[in-house]
Amino acid sequence: MPNLASTLKSEIARLARKELKSEIQLLRKTVASHRGEIAALKRELKATQDATKQLAKQVNKGKPIEESPAAQSPRRGRRPAGFTADGLLAIRKRLDFTQAQMAALLGVSALSVYKWESGQTTPRAAQQTKILSSRNIGKREALRQIASQVG
């Protein structure tokens, strides 16, 4: 009988480990995701603390407070809000420009304008600001700017 008891005990232990294994794997995944979230929050906290220290230094020196680049653009590393390929096409059509004329206005190549409009690439931040500022000008002003760049 001791053999049956030890066999039963070992089988119960094996089944318990098997059930616990799946539960532990789920917990490990959860812990890993929480650790990632905590790390992101720590980075955000450090950036906020650095910005606060910088502002405190400016206040102590009596300088006017300037917004940090991170405060100006919370979506750092991404395109500024408002740029889309369709939007660029709409601006160009509103101005009744060819891609070459639009490229001259923005100071880039016609191929760049083509790729931006087709969505193959995204313009850099400097070009995006030029594109977004071209929304507010008329055709005459745009032609004047092109002529002043060429001449």
Side-chain angles (χ1 to χ4, degrees):
M1 284 293 173
N3 201 10
L4 180 64
S6 65
T7 305
L8 184 60
K9 185 177 178 181
S10 65
E11 185 64 19
I12 291 172
R14 185 186 70 80
L15 288 173
R17 280 193 304 270
K18 185 177 179 182
E19 285 185 24
L20 286 176
K21 187 176 182 179
S22 64
E23 293 293 324
I24 289 173
Q25 284 178 340
L26 288 173
L27 287 174
R28 284 183 180 157
K29 287 181 182 179
T30 305
V31 166
S33 69
H34 287 161
R35 283 183 179 167
E37 291 172 3
I38 289 169
L41 287 171
K42 283 182 177 179
R43 286 190 298 271
E44 186 178 335
L45 177 64
K46 179 159 179 23
T48 304
Q49 287 174 339
D50 291 345
T52 304
K53 285 179 185 177
Q54 185 179 9
L55 287 174
K57 285 180 183 177
Q58 286 180 356
V59 168
N60 289 339
K61 290 182 180 179
K63 290 184 179 178
I65 297 175
E66 299 173 8
E67 285 192 39
S68 66
Q72 292 171 356
S73 177
R75 301 174 359 155
R76 185 176 32 172
R78 298 183 187 163
R79 60 188 178 168
F83 174 81
T84 61
D86 294 333
L88 176 60
L89 180 63
I91 293 169
R92 187 172 66 82
K93 293 295 183 186
R94 180 182 57 81
L95 294 173
D96 195 28
F97 275 7
T98 63
Q99 287 180 341
Q101 288 174 313
M102 192 68 179
L105 176 66
L106 299 173
V108 296
S109 69
L111 181 62
S112 294
V113 173
Y114 166 76
K115 286 187 175 186
W116 295 341
E117 286 181 353
S118 63
Q120 294 177 14
T121 59
T122 304
R124 292 187 179 139
Q127 281 81 24
Q128 288 181 12
T129 55
K130 288 180 184 178
I131 292 167
L132 294 176
S133 67
S134 69
R135 286 192 291 188
N136 302 327
I137 62 172
K139 184 173 183 176
R140 289 182 191 154
E141 177 62 27
L143 289 171
R144 218 176 289 129
Q145 286 182 9
I146 293 172
S148 68
Q149 288 174 0
V150 173

